[in-house]
Amino acid sequence: MTSVLRVNGGRSLNGEITVRGAKNFVPKAMVAALLGHTPSVLSNVPLIQDVNVVSGLLELHGVKVDFDESCGVLHLDPTSVESAHVADIDAHAGSSRIPILFCGPLLHRLGEAFIPDLGGCNIGGRPIDFHLDSLRSFGARVEKRVGGIHITNPDGLHGTQIELPYPSVGATEQTLLTAVLAKGLTELRGAAVEPEIMDLVSVLQKMGAIISVDTDRTIRIEGVDELVGYRHSALPDRIEAASWASAALATGGDITVLGASQPDMTTFLNTFRKIGGSFDVLENGIRFWHPGGDLRSIAIETNVHPGLMTDWQQPLVVALTQAKGLSIVHETVYEKRFGFTDALNQMGAQVQLYRECLGSTPCRFKQANFVHSAAISGPTPLHGADIEIPDLRGGFSHMIAALAASGTSTVSGIEMISRGYEHFTSKLSLLDADFKEVK
Ligand code: EPU
């Protein structure tokens, strides 16, 4: 059922909220628990939809999952892993992108896996060819079936050499989760090195894996015979922290994000400061605020780590509608991540989209006719509108726009935001937003 908020905008967001573990790390650490033969304990776990989806899939495979929601601690006991019925797995089709990461661990534990068709945000084609090529290279057989893929490893998995065509986060995680128990050495070149991946490396090392990361995006994994459970506290969600920072800027507010961590956000903080936002790094978080006066326009490009994250882009674009002059945003990670700007234009923004690369980074989308650059003229006053949320980050951005806009907006599809933002509406209340649930 779709949930709808009526938002009375035009007032700043002020107050203090807390972010917990990263959405793009926690579900992967949950999958890693499958590789151990003793229980694992993961803390700082947020209450978000992706955690529920992965808990459900783990339980179908015989893992005992016990989640203490109030303190954010997950106990995962994989001692009785078993095959699940395809029909039960199928119920999870389209729910998330995480199920593809079950391949390696299930192959090691059971010798086969059925992976349902994936879900996730519609921000591009989101193929899984790198994942499947990686699995095949370890010796797995991959077969497309109705509703998903069936994977087997008749002769066991062996170490291999892989070079990713692009530093894909998911394909790097796929390779790590498969290589740790494969026989022999795996060398992965062109790997993604996002902080969430480094935290997964920490988890796997605690479990007994041997993994080294070089400065040139090469990761070497020496396969071991067995792994044990881990105890780990998830790194904080730097996407959520940056989203609230952008909300402070767009609404002229002042938000302290407890739990936010500076080292993982260096690139964002530089951009935030260049636009004219102020921040103060505290012992237990970061305070972000609009210092008054004009915000400044900027030219930015999204990129893999340590570049400016693609997931920071959408909330920042809303803040840029309030900056003086012409801002340019070149999206180089996803080919279709500007769909959310239609609604911003409907609310009075002036965002023009281009197929050309408006930036200096050589981009894979250059010759491919994808609308992947944006020019934002500002400042433009925003006014309320009826908006339908398109995806997770675009949805958060629509909410910021509605909160910044004068008048009333009706925003539908709020449940999409809860996939990645814990206690979203409670946090809005803490920040003194004026809104009402109408459905
Ligand atoms: N790609 C391929 N083939 C593949 C895999 C990826 O062509 O087999 C392409 C993608 O189409 C995309 C690029 O490579 O153009 C990068 O994709 P990547 O694999 O890095 O993304 P992902 O693992 O599917 C994760 C996050 C995304 C985040 C990206 C980039 C999770 C669950 N999702 O996706 O988060 O944007 O990395 O950092 O970790 C979000 O949180 O809203 C979100 C979309």
Side-chain angles (χ1 to χ4, degrees), residues 104-121:
L106 285 180
L107 285 179
H108 286 303
R109 293 298 301 259
L110 302 168
E112 68 169 337
F114 179 77
I115 306 298
D117 288 334
L118 303 183
C121 295

Side-chain angles (χ1 to χ4, degrees), residues 129-199:
D129 50 336
F130 305 164
H131 293 251
L132 301 186
D133 288 349
S134 166
L135 289 161
R136 287 191 185 102
S137 162
F138 282 103
R141 261 189 216 154
V142 182
E143 195 192 323
K144 177 80 191 121
R145 295 227 178 127
V146 179
I149 49 173
H150 184 239
I151 307 199
T152 50
N153 62 322
D155 305 316
L157 298 173
H158 51 76
T160 181
Q161 302 240 334
I162 297 168
E163 170 136 29
L164 292 178
Y166 183 78
S168 152
V169 168
T172 300
E173 293 160 343
Q174 180 76 265
T175 305
L176 283 169
L177 290 166
T178 308
V180 283
L181 284 178
K183 286 221 169 337
L185 181 73
T186 295
E187 186 177 271
L188 173 66
R189 289 189 300 278
V193 291
E194 269 62 7
E196 292 76 16
I197 291 177
M198 291 306 117
D199 214 26

Side-chain angles (χ1 to χ4, degrees), residues 2-13:
T2 189
S3 96
V4 182
L5 294 187
R6 185 160 300 135
V7 180
N8 294 316
R11 54 194 273 170
S12 53
L13 294 183

Side-chain angles (χ1 to χ4, degrees), residues 318-394:
V318 182
L320 289 175
T321 66
Q322 304 310 305
K324 192 172 179 194
L326 186 69
S327 294
I328 303 288
V329 182
H330 181 207
E331 168 62 57
T332 75
V333 180
Y334 288 110
E335 67 272 29
K336 235 175 81 180
R337 214 168 191 180
F338 282 121
F340 73 103
T341 59
D342 285 351
L344 300 187
N345 286 341
Q346 197 189 328
M347 298 172 86
Q350 284 180 23
V351 183
Q352 187 133 12
L353 302 182
Y354 294 88
R355 291 174 201 282
E356 290 76 13
C357 294
L358 300 184
S360 57
T361 300
C363 162
R364 295 168 298 147
F365 311 135
K366 190 174 176 184
Q367 309 297 344
N369 210 22
F370 291 120
V371 173
H372 71 289
S373 294
I376 304 130
S377 310
T380 45
L382 301 177
H383 53 78
D386 291 351
I387 330 170
E388 178 82 42
I389 284 178
D391 60 64
L392 173 62
R393 309 294 168 199

Side-chain angles (χ1 to χ4, degrees), residues 222-238:
E222 293 176 38
V224 294
D225 290 338
E226 66 171 28
L227 295 171
V228 294
Y230 63 83
R231 292 189 84 87
H232 191 77
S233 178
L235 85 169
D237 197 311
R238 64 196 172 117

